[in-house]
Every structure is written in structure tokens, then in C-alpha cells.
Amino acid sequence: MNTALRAAGCVVAAGIALASTPNANATPMTLTISVEDLVTHQVFTTPFTDAATPNLIDVGTASTGPITFTGETATSAISPPINTLITSALTITNTNHTDPVMVTATLAGRNFVGPDNFVSLTGSGTWFGTPNSVMTLAFYDDPTNNGLATLAQRVGFFVSPPALDPTSSYSYSPGTVPLAIPDTGPFSMTETWTYTLAPDGRLVSRGQTETKSEVVPEPSTLLLLGFATFGVGMIRFKRNISRRRPDVSKP
């Protein structure tokens, strides 16, 4: 293999390694959960951060007022050109036997790596024993990397149908769509969710994901592919020349 082809191969390999190696820079993350008793209007608020483990908030089993969480987590990940912000919980239970409650939560992650120009959103969960509960999901993208979450930064919004008794599910997946304002440098993503739980009601397998990607290849990627194509072409060219060259060793 000639020197040019080896160099091209090294460049392509380096590009593939960069694209497949997770980057631990999607920090800091902050998760804030507020619970309001809708009868007494008492509010309980608990903040969480990923200070102990970057890109991970592991609430585990915990309580905020009358609400008990199990498996409540939040994660962020960078695998250029894909950036993801995820929140999920195994169960959320209203331990109050008489009062309904409202849960409002916000998850924000900063320092995601652009450029990205497409967004994909998902959300899902299952209600148990909490008829008429409604889930409201909102997703935000801030190219300034300041964690803004206003109407101007909103890239997705969903309100579920009222829950049925004794159980029903909701699901949101609008597909991949272009960003109105692409993320060209470091950027932040924010997710919010609000729902109510009847007395002793539960929400199971709650999940919410925001993913950014660049579907159209970058010029640098096209350049790497060009190097690789050039190298393969040179090999084929040399093989063809060798086949056509007369064998002078034969009489």
C-alpha cells in the first residue's frame, strides 16, 4: 500500500474513532422536581445535579413531599454528531391517600457539541389508578448554550389525552424534523414535564428523550470519504497497470 493511501486510511480511521467515542462534556446537568398538594397547595421542591457523576443524575428511590420515585434518572451523551438528553423513571407514586398532586420537573443540560440541524423527540408512560391525569411535555433547544427554555427555544410540545381508569398509556414520537435555528457550536437542551396524580395514583415507565443530529454529512466527512475513494482508486489503477505491463522475463 502506498504512502498516500496509508495516510488516507489513517485520516478515515481517526474520523470514525472521533464519531464513535462518547464525549463527557455534556455538563452541567440540573434536574428540579416540584410537587404541589392540590388541596393544601403546599409545595415541595428538590434540586439535583450531576456533580458526583458527570452526565448522570441518579435519584434512585427518593421522595419529594407525598411523591415517591423509583429508578428516577437523567443522562446526557455526546457521540458526534449525535447529542442526547434523556430522563426516565420506573415508578412515581402519590402516597397521599386523599389529595391529588401536581408534579412539575425541569431537566437542563449544557455544552452539547454541534453542529446539528435535526431534532428527534419521544415521550411515553403508563397511568395506573389516576383517571383524568394529563401529561404535558415540552422540549427546548438553545444555540447560545445558556439553558434558555422560553417559547422562542421550544422545539416540541405535547399534551396527552386524559388518563382512563384503571389504566392507560400515552406516547409521543413526531419523528425527525429540521431545527429552525441549527446548533453550530456548543448548545443546551432542556426538557420539562408536568402531570397530576390522583390519591394513590401511579405513573409507570415514564420516559422523555431529545436527540440532536446532523443528517446531512459535513464537508469534513465528505473530504474523508474523498481521501478513501482516492486511495481505493489508486490501488485499482496500479493493479490495472500491472496487468497490462508485459512480462519481460519471458522469451
Side-chain angles (χ1 to χ4, degrees):
M1 184 182 295
N2 61 23
T3 303
L5 180 57
R6 284 199 299 269
C10 292
V11 172
V12 173
I16 293 173
L18 176 64
S20 60
T21 302
N23 186 313
N25 292 330
T27 57
M29 279 200 307
T30 56
L31 171 64
T32 303
I33 300 176
S34 294
V35 176
E36 179 184 0
D37 184 309
L38 294 179
V39 174
T40 65
H41 297 291
Q42 186 175 7
V43 177
F44 308 85
T45 300
T46 306
F48 304 91
T49 69
D50 61 342
T53 305
N55 304 318
L56 172 65
I57 297 175
D58 185 5
V59 177
T61 300
S63 296
T64 297
I67 291 293
T68 298
F69 304 91
T70 65
E72 178 83 32
T73 62
T75 59
S76 59
I78 299 176
S79 291
I82 299 175
N83 297 271
T84 305
L85 183 65
I86 303 172
T87 172
S88 62
L90 294 178
T91 62
I92 306 101
T93 304
N94 179 8
T95 61
N96 192 310
H97 303 307
T98 59
D99 297 352
V101 297
M102 174 177 287
V103 181
T104 302
T106 299
L107 171 65
R110 294 177 176 82
N111 295 325
F112 292 96
V113 177
D116 283 331
N117 52 13
F118 285 83
V119 60
S120 178
L121 310 172
T122 63
S124 61
T126 300
W127 307 105
F128 283 94
T130 183
N132 299 315
S133 291
V134 172
M135 172 64 76
T136 301
L137 305 176
F139 306 79
Y140 302 87
D141 173 76
D142 178 20
T144 69
N145 199 30
N146 289 315
L148 301 179
T150 67
L151 187 60
Q153 286 80 38
R154 198 170 72 185
V155 293
F157 185 73
F158 169 75
V159 179
S160 75
L164 303 177
D165 194 21
T167 180
S168 62
S169 299
Y170 67 88
S171 179
Y172 174 65
S173 182
T176 301
V177 299
L179 285 169
I181 303 176
D183 296 308
T184 57
F187 65 94
S188 63
M189 290 190 281
T190 301
E191 298 175 348
T192 64
W193 57 104
T194 302
Y195 57 94
T196 55
L197 287 178
D200 297 318
R202 289 186 298 150
L203 175 59
V204 177
S205 299
R206 183 197 64 80
Q208 187 172 348
T209 301
E210 181 172 353
T211 301
K212 301 292 174 51
S213 62
E214 186 175 32
V215 177
V216 179
E218 299 178 47
S220 58
T221 303
L222 295 176
L223 182 60
L224 293 177
L225 292 175
F227 278 137
T229 302
F230 173 78
V232 173
M234 288 297 294
I235 291 177
R236 291 179 178 175
F237 176 78
K238 287 194 171 186
R239 285 179 180 173
N240 290 336
I241 291 295
S242 298
R243 289 171 183 171
R244 294 174 183 175
R245 183 179 301 161
D247 190 351
V248 295
S249 64
K250 294 182 180 180

